[in-house]
Amino acid sequence: MTDLQFKNKLLRDDAKYHVSILSFAGIKLIVPQSEILSIESIYELESNEDNDNNYIGVIYKQGIKLPVYCFSKSMDIYKSLPEDRFQCVVLQHENIMFSLLCYEISNAVISEIEFHNLPVCMNNKRIPLTHLCLYKDAENINKLGMVTSAVCLNEYINKLKRHSMKL
Amino acid sequence: MKTDNNDSGVAAWLLQVDRLVNVAIGQFELIHIIDEPDYMGIPQAPDYCKDVVLWNNNIVPVMSLASWLTSCLQVDNTGVVAIVVYEDEQGKHKFGGIKLSSPPVQAKVKNSQQCQLTDDFDKWRKVSLSSFKSKTGDIVPIIDVSKLFSHVLLS
């Protein structure tokens, strides 16, 4: 997806950028609001009885069993449930659907956002972000943000799974 | 760095990047110092470049050369970051940050001080233009800032 396509994905008819902010372990990920299918309570989480221990549990959405992933600050996979996760966000893009455990999920409408590619010197192709961004918050203060998408997170999770299978 | 005919030396900045290691950059490459910036940690980024800062509306990647040298995440930096300017491969001006152990110091570097990097400094060959011996006899690599902030350290 080009930068312009990504930007357009966030733009709505009001010419503002509609994003969701996923907070956990002290980090905040900005994702397109259109990729949030639903937000579920942690009480919907059922334990993982599969052999795949990359996800922490499952939830059922539209009759489909979805894996629920839980990440640390460095976005390594947690294998046991931390105390500070209260919500499951279900992300969807085309046929990709999965859930992440978050501390908090909020929506924001941003009037100005500037996307930047990841700096060349740090882009080791493992970073689960599409862009970094500069935006103005509700108080018109410049902020730094980390932008990702359902596709990007799904690819990242698949890489982690392949890596853990090799171990 | 260019010297004049009588070898009175050329101005440079000495950056202490580790308790034991100084590096040098050109006088005009250092443009600002930030004290204890608000870092934003980038998940899964390399340990030596895991943070960015917001400076003058620019997203600036911050290098910890001490982490790079020791391949260790926890290093003894003071919270001072040198903001440097460089040209990327497309010739665009970009900004980078370098974590320091102490505030930068100006120095004059003479041609007569030039020396070779020893085997202890092997890692520096990837990102140095040259090197010289300081007044205390320490070898000081002169950093190619463009290379430092390119993909070179990733390979």
Side-chain angles (χ1 to χ4, degrees):
Chain A
M1 193 182 290
T2 65
D3 287 3
L4 187 63
Q5 284 170 325
F6 193 84
K7 209 169 176 179
N8 286 340
K9 191 169 182 163
L10 272 59
L11 259 182
R12 293 274 178 88
D13 294 341
D14 59 3
K16 290 184 175 171
Y17 300 93
H18 291 243
V19 302
S20 293
I21 301 170
L22 314 182
S23 309
F24 54 87
I27 66 171
K28 291 175 189 288
L29 298 179
I30 295 173
V31 295
Q33 219 175 83
S34 56
E35 293 190 342
I36 305 290
L37 182 66
S38 67
I39 295 169
E40 310 290 336
S41 159
I42 195 160
Y43 298 112
E44 302 293 322
L45 183 70
E46 294 183 16
S47 60
N48 175 15
E49 289 169 0
D50 295 342
N51 288 330
D52 183 347
N53 62 359
N54 286 300
Y55 51 93
I56 208 155
V58 295
I59 56 168
Y60 289 86
K61 188 73 195 164
Q62 298 167 350
I64 302 167
K65 183 175 157 186
L66 295 179
V68 180
Y69 297 93
C70 183
F71 290 119
S72 67
K73 189 179 179 70
S74 56
M75 290 199 64
D76 292 312
I77 283 180
Y78 268 140
K79 310 253 163 150
S80 57
L81 185 64
E83 287 178 0
D84 62 346
R85 307 296 158 99
F86 307 111
Q87 293 179 308
C88 298
V89 62
V90 179
L91 289 151
Q92 185 184 31
H93 176 78
E94 295 174 356
N95 57 351
I96 293 167
M97 194 162 35
F98 60 94
S99 180
L100 288 185
L101 272 182
C102 297
Y103 168 73
E104 191 179 58
I105 299 143
S106 57
N107 288 336
V109 179
I110 297 170
S111 52
E112 286 178 46
I113 190 164
E114 220 179 81
F115 292 101
H116 292 256
N117 290 332
L118 292 167
V120 173
C121 56
M122 65 166 52
N123 194 358
N124 54 11
K125 313 289 182 199
R126 290 201 296 270
I127 297 172
L129 304 176
T130 56
H131 300 86
L132 300 177
C133 73
L134 288 174
Y135 66 97
K136 287 189 191 295
D137 69 4
E139 287 155 5
N140 221 27
I141 294 169
N142 282 330
K143 294 274 186 184
L144 268 175
M146 295 192 278
V147 185
T148 190
S149 67
V151 171
C152 180
L153 286 171
N154 188 58
E155 281 174 5
Y156 174 70
I157 289 165
N158 286 337
K159 265 188 211 167
L160 289 180
K161 281 182 179 175
R162 283 197 296 272
H163 180 70
S164 73
M165 278 164 63
K166 280 184 197 164
L167 292 177
Chain B
M1 282 187 253
K2 210 173 159 187
T3 55
D4 58 17
N5 289 336
N6 60 12
D7 198 16
S8 61
V10 65
W13 285 102
L14 292 183
L15 309 179
Q16 190 180 21
V17 296
D18 180 83
R19 270 177 301 174
L20 300 172
V21 180
N22 282 302
V23 299
I25 60 171
Q27 181 187 13
F28 300 111
E29 289 175 317
L30 175 67
I31 54 169
H32 198 76
I33 300 292
I34 320 179
D35 202 7
E36 300 196 353
D38 286 331
Y39 295 112
M40 183 172 78
I42 305 299
Q44 300 292 314
D47 286 346
Y48 58 81
C49 188
K50 63 182 183 58
D51 297 306
V52 295
V53 293
L54 177 60
W55 177 76
N56 269 9
N57 281 338
N58 293 286
I59 298 176
V60 178
V62 180
M63 283 277 173
S64 168
L65 290 172
S67 285
W68 174 62
L69 282 175
T70 59
S71 304
C72 169
L73 186 57
Q74 299 297 328
V75 291
D76 184 23
N77 286 127
T78 58
V80 177
V81 172
I83 301 292
V84 295
V85 62
Y86 64 94
E87 271 189 8
D88 70 7
E89 284 172 354
Q90 284 77 43
K92 286 184 185 162
H93 282 108
K94 292 276 177 80
F95 301 103
I98 301 174
K99 288 186 182 178
L100 304 181
S101 296
S102 62
V105 177
Q106 268 202 315
K108 289 268 185 186
V109 181
K110 297 178 181 178
N111 273 343
S112 55
Q113 289 175 263
Q114 192 183 0
C115 69
Q116 296 297 314
L117 288 172
T118 59
D119 289 346
D120 298 347
F121 285 80
D122 206 31
K123 264 189 149 179
W124 290 105
R125 290 182 211 281
K126 272 185 170 180
V127 291
S128 37
L129 292 163
S130 175
S131 54
F132 65 92
K133 259 194 180 157
S134 71
K135 285 174 186 164
T136 55
D138 298 318
I139 294 175
V140 180
I142 300 169
I143 297 298
D144 181 335
V145 180
S146 294
K147 264 197 183 161
L148 182 66
F149 287 95
S150 73
H151 57 86
V152 162
L153 296 190
L154 293 168
S155 50

